[in-house]
């Protein structure tokens, strides 16, 4: 019997959603009956801590687990796809509209990036949950930038004529020559530069001797999904996101 399930409190989401939140992390299950027993224990502990809203992602092909967690009271909220490019070293830069692409050095640029993330991004864990008001989902992206700054993630700004049109935030493991793209995109109205942005993202990583790039994207975001495919990324896994309201909350969930 192997059961690997745990939780982590997510105060960064609590700030945005307006209630205490936690993420359930499920790594490996081969005994679903024992999983339910373990999950019930975790849920009781979370309720005792005042947690009101929880969420998890599981691999989409685990049909039995999908049924099990729905029987535990979770509802389906979103689908995400992990994509990977294992051939970054072979990337050849495309001829596209020119943009500047540099690590953020001006603290004022963070405010612009936060504004883009909160106002121009329409997909994600909470954006696609119809039970979460859009304002709270937008606030989550706004606050997420501050958290990523504190985590010392690499934050790049894409500019045209000195104005920020997009950004990329990534976490790089130089010892493994790999990068995870955490959050990237262009400002609403500047989508014409999306190809140029990803052109620079991949080329910059190639220049830093990165061999592999991973990203987790919303399956509903067809435009970005096609963009990744255009740049040679392949689908690695699909995940289903499930959410659950534990107790009555001040945030009015449907």
């Amino acid at each position: 019997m192997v059961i690997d399930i745990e939780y982590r409190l997510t105060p960064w989401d609590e700030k945005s959603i307006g209630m205490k939140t936690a993420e359930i992390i499920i790594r490996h299950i081969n005994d679903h009956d024992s999983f339910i027993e373990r999950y019930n224990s975790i849920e009781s502990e979370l309720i005792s801590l005042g947690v009101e809203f929880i969420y998890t992602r599981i691999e989409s092909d685990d049909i039995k687990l999908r049924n099990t967690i729905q029987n535990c009271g979770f509802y389906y909220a979103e689908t995400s796809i992990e994509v990977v490019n294992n051939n970054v070293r072979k990337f050849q830069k495309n001829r596209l509209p020119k943009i500047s692409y540099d690590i953020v050095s001006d603290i004022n640029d963070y405010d612009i990036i936060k504004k883009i993330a909160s106002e121009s991004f329409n997909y994600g864990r909470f954006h696609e949950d119809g039970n979460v008001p859009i304002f709270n989902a937008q606030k989550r992206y706004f606050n997420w930038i501050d958290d990523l700054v504190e985590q010392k993630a690499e934050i790049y700004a894409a500019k045209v004529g000195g104005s920020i049109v997009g950004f990329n935030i990534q976490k790089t493991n130089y010892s493994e020559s790999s990068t995870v793209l955490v959050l990237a995109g262009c400002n609403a109205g500047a989508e014409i530069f999306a190809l140029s942005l990803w052109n620079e993202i991949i080329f910059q990583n190639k220049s830093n001797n990165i061999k592999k790039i991973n990203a987790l994207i919303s399956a509903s975001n067809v435009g970005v999904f096609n963009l990744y495919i255009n740049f040679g990324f392949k689908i690695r896994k699909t995940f289903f996101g499930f959410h659950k309201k534990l107790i009555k909350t001040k945030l009015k969930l449907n």
Side-chain angles (χ1 to χ4, degrees):
M1 178 179 69
V2 178
I3 302 174
D4 191 352
I5 173 176
E6 61 185 6
Y7 73 85
R8 63 170 180 168
L9 300 177
T10 52
W12 50 89
D13 286 337
E14 179 181 350
K15 291 187 298 182
S16 307
I17 302 302
M19 54 181 155
K20 197 165 186 178
T21 58
E23 180 178 16
I24 306 298
I25 302 168
I26 304 171
R27 293 193 180 89
H28 184 77
I29 301 294
N30 68 356
D31 184 329
H32 289 77
D33 292 334
S34 297
F35 165 79
I36 292 174
E37 182 179 349
R38 172 63 177 146
Y39 167 75
N40 287 337
S41 175
I42 286 177
E43 181 177 293
S44 296
E45 184 175 347
L46 290 172
I47 290 174
S48 72
L49 293 173
V51 172
E52 300 168 277
F53 193 60
I54 59 176
Y55 39 87
T56 189
R57 281 191 176 120
I58 65 171
E59 293 186 24
S60 62
D61 58 356
D62 193 336
I63 297 173
K64 189 171 183 179
L65 180 57
R66 281 160 44 190
N67 291 332
T68 298
I69 65 170
Q70 288 180 93
N71 289 335
C72 290
F74 284 83
Y75 63 88
Y76 166 79
E78 48 90 24
T79 299
S80 53
I81 297 174
E82 182 183 3
V83 294
V84 61
N85 186 329
N86 288 310
N87 296 304
V88 177
R89 290 174 296 176
K90 296 181 179 179
F91 177 71
Q92 297 297 316
K93 199 170 186 180
N94 299 307
R95 290 187 177 182
L96 292 165
K98 290 185 178 181
I99 59 173
S100 66
Y101 179 77
D102 296 294
I103 199 85
V104 171
S105 57
D106 185 344
I107 193 170
N108 294 318
D109 286 350
Y110 291 122
D111 291 332
I112 299 173
I113 289 172
K114 288 163 70 175
K115 181 178 175 65
I116 293 173
S118 62
E119 295 182 0
S120 299
F121 289 20
N122 301 308
Y123 300 93
R125 171 169 264 163
F126 294 141
H127 276 79
E128 295 173 57
D129 183 342
N131 294 309
V132 176
I134 189 63
F135 170 79
N136 298 92
Q138 291 172 327
K139 188 176 180 182
R140 180 181 185 251
Y141 271 146
F142 186 90
N143 291 329
W144 194 10
I145 304 301
D146 288 330
D147 294 323
L148 290 168
V149 170
E150 291 181 7
Q151 294 169 25
K152 301 188 183 304
E154 298 172 9
I155 303 179
Y156 295 84
K159 297 183 179 181
V160 175
S163 298
I164 295 179
V165 296
F167 67 90
N168 171 48
I169 303 177
Q170 64 182 48
K171 293 183 177 180
T172 303
N173 186 327
Y174 288 98
S175 64
E176 295 184 359
S177 301
S178 64
T179 290
V180 175
L181 302 186
V182 179
L183 192 63
C186 288
N187 193 9
E191 293 89 350
I192 191 175
F193 297 109
L195 287 171
S196 298
L197 173 58
W198 261 262
N199 203 35
E200 296 296 337
I201 290 171
I202 301 172
F203 181 74
Q204 179 270 340
N205 277 288
K206 176 184 177 180
S207 299
N208 285 341
N209 297 315
I210 298 303
K211 300 176 182 178
K212 182 174 74 171
I213 300 176
N214 284 71
L216 189 68
I217 61 176
S218 167
S220 298
N221 195 349
V222 176
V224 167
F225 179 74
N226 285 330
L227 189 153
Y228 274 100
I229 298 302
N230 181 69
F231 280 100
F233 284 76
K234 305 294 183 182
I235 297 173
R236 184 170 179 269
K237 289 182 180 180
T238 302
F239 297 90
F240 287 161
F242 291 91
H243 299 178
K244 182 178 182 179
K245 183 175 66 171
L246 292 183
I247 56 179
K248 194 172 182 179
T249 70
K250 59 185 177 181
L251 181 63
K252 294 181 179 179
L253 302 180
N254 295 331

